[in-house]
Amino acid sequence: MEGLGGLSHLLVTMFVTGFGGVIVIPAITDVTMAALCPGQDQCSLAIYLSGFQQAMAGVGSVVMTPLIGNLSDRYGRKALITLPLTLSVIPQVILAYSRDTKFFYAYYAVKTVAAMAGEGSFHCLALAYVADKVPDGKRTTAFGILAGVGSASFVGGTLAARFLSTALTFQVASVLSMVGLVYMRIFLKDGVPSGAIKQPLLKEVQEPCPQDDSSQRTTPTFKKLPSVGDLICFLKCSPTFSQAAVVSLFNSLADGGLMAVLLYYLKARFQFNKNQFADLMMIMGIGATLTQLLFMPILLPVIGEEKLLSTGLLIGCINIFIYSVSWEAWVPYALAGCSAFSVFVRPSLCSIASKQVGPTEQGMVQGCLSGISSFANIIAPLIFSPLTALFLSEEAPFYFPGFSLMCLGLTLMVAFFQSLMIRADPPIAGGKISSNRCTDTLV
């Protein structure tokens, strides 16, 4: 293993491609509205199409991300990283050329397919690349550096979007995406994951939870990916993991719904545009970066992961409830800084779950949490996009433009109350999850 010094080219690739991906986010709402509903501040069709696209991206993430990760174990990270980076270039090139209605529909179709095929897989592969190159004792630091680079690209992208015109924004994004792809292909060194061929995922798992004759059979060689049975096994074997899974489900429902509808809500409620979206995202990005670097290292040893998780969820609930009743345009700006504390949630969840199993099952546990989040991201826009479109229209049963946000706040409150019940078990020192613990749970 090369250590942290072997990650420089990956970090550069992640920053450049992340910058290129983020820079278009503040502008895409205005582009969508202009293409579908010119001159209007509220457009149900835009909300429906965006929600459908996000749901399809979630479907692709559930199916393709584990497959791409598995293929990278066999054919190398670099070859598979090429796929999502290449797919990310095409939609941006279309809008860089023109943002007329017909080109927008072409962009929408290509973007949906690209999101299904590769969205989210780059970050998954980046984490796997770090695990390949960095020794166990330094991986936490390496993952933190990776997250820091992602936050830096987010802040830089939103800052650039604030000062670029819409046309120039997509042109710059296209160039940066292509530069990131070419840089990665030239400079990134591939590595063969240690033990990947000799010990594929689940190949040697011999302690399954179900107590039947089939549990003694050898896992078929073609079974490379965690199954639904593996997830059920973890849920039954560890009450703490099952509680963390419930929290992850409802938290991801709220996050996915908020991602699908918030910008359209602000557009309809306060006539926000690209520049104001960029300002909000920049405040959130800077706040999240400072929270990760300053507050988390201080608070974690003092209050522990469980209370840190509950704190992040409570602050998130309060923010969404206030969003739903925003009375002036300055309110979202005030909330943007406070929402940075929601970054406590995901690291705390992952850490709590990781302590319930040994080192040979870490990938499966994190994959189970990611699968639950992806499932929530599929159904969230299908529920909350139509609800938002209804209450922003003139056909709403009663006047409450932020009703869908209020529902999202209630969803996150379920996660908050569930987090209060988590009492983490002592961490497992090594090996696989205790078969005795599993057996006791099932009996």
Side-chain angles (χ1 to χ4, degrees), residues 82-404:
T82 304
L83 175 62
L85 296 192
T86 302
L87 292 174
S88 69
V89 174
I90 303 173
Q92 296 172 350
V93 170
I94 294 174
L95 290 186
Y97 180 77
S98 176
R99 286 156 303 284
D100 293 339
T101 301
K102 59 182 180 181
F103 284 96
F104 172 79
Y105 279 115
Y107 156 82
Y108 180 84
V110 174
K111 176 66 174 176
T112 302
V113 173
M116 292 180 65
E119 189 165 291
S121 59
F122 173 59
H123 295 284
C124 172
L125 294 172
L127 291 172
Y129 187 91
V130 170
D132 295 339
K133 299 292 184 180
V134 179
D136 292 352
K138 297 182 179 180
R139 283 182 189 168
T140 302
T141 301
F143 289 147
I145 293 173
L146 201 67
V149 170
S151 297
S153 67
F154 184 90
V155 173
T158 52
L159 179 62
R162 180 64 177 82
F163 298 103
L164 295 175
S165 65
T166 300
L168 192 57
T169 294
F170 287 96
Q171 293 168 4
V172 171
S174 301
V175 171
L176 288 175
S177 297
M178 288 186 281
V179 169
L181 173 60
V182 173
Y183 181 92
M184 184 275 298
R185 292 300 305 172
I186 295 175
F187 295 105
L188 188 68
K189 294 181 180 179
D190 207 348
V192 178
S194 60
I197 303 301
K198 296 181 180 179
Q199 189 178 0
L201 186 60
L202 295 182
K203 183 69 179 287
E204 297 183 7
V205 175
Q206 299 294 334
E207 302 100 324
C209 284
Q211 294 181 332
D212 56 63
D213 293 340
S214 61
S215 66
Q216 304 300 323
R217 298 173 188 169
T218 303
T219 303
T221 57
F222 58 81
K223 184 178 181 182
K224 306 292 185 182
L225 302 174
S227 66
V228 175
D230 300 315
L231 174 58
I232 295 174
C233 174
F234 280 118
L235 291 174
K236 289 181 176 180
C237 293
S238 172
T240 299
F241 178 75
S242 63
Q243 291 170 335
V246 173
V247 173
S248 179
L249 174 64
F250 284 94
N251 177 67
S252 299
L253 276 173
D255 284 348
L258 198 64
M259 187 186 307
V261 306
L262 181 59
L263 298 186
Y264 290 103
Y265 167 76
L266 295 176
K267 178 78 172 178
R269 190 81 172 86
F270 302 114
Q271 292 75 52
F272 276 17
N273 57 29
K274 173 182 75 71
N275 293 338
Q276 290 161 315
F277 291 146
D279 291 338
L280 286 176
M281 292 173 63
M282 185 166 54
I283 294 171
M284 292 178 184
I286 294 174
T289 302
L290 293 178
T291 300
Q292 288 174 323
L293 295 178
L294 298 179
F295 291 102
M296 282 194 71
I298 295 174
L299 292 176
L300 185 58
V302 177
I303 66 176
E305 295 151 341
E306 294 79 16
K307 291 183 179 178
L308 198 64
L309 171 63
S310 299
T311 301
L313 291 170
L314 178 60
I315 294 174
C317 288
I318 295 172
N319 280 349
I320 296 178
F321 284 136
I322 298 177
Y323 265 125
S324 69
V325 295
S326 296
W327 56 95
E328 293 288 346
W330 60 265
V331 175
Y333 287 96
L335 295 174
C338 297
S339 65
F341 290 95
S342 297
V343 301
F344 290 158
V345 175
R346 184 64 185 175
S348 300
L349 267 179
C350 292
S351 180
I352 291 170
S354 71
K355 292 181 179 180
Q356 305 310 303
V357 297
T360 60
E361 294 171 327
Q362 292 297 327
M364 192 188 301
V365 165
Q366 300 304 330
C368 289
L369 287 181
S370 296
I372 291 169
S373 298
S374 297
F375 173 74
N377 286 331
I378 294 171
I379 62 177
L382 298 180
I383 296 172
F384 294 105
S385 293
L387 193 63
T388 302
L390 175 62
F391 277 88
L392 290 179
S393 70
E394 297 178 355
E395 300 176 357
F398 52 89
Y399 181 77
F400 191 172
F403 181 75
S404 62

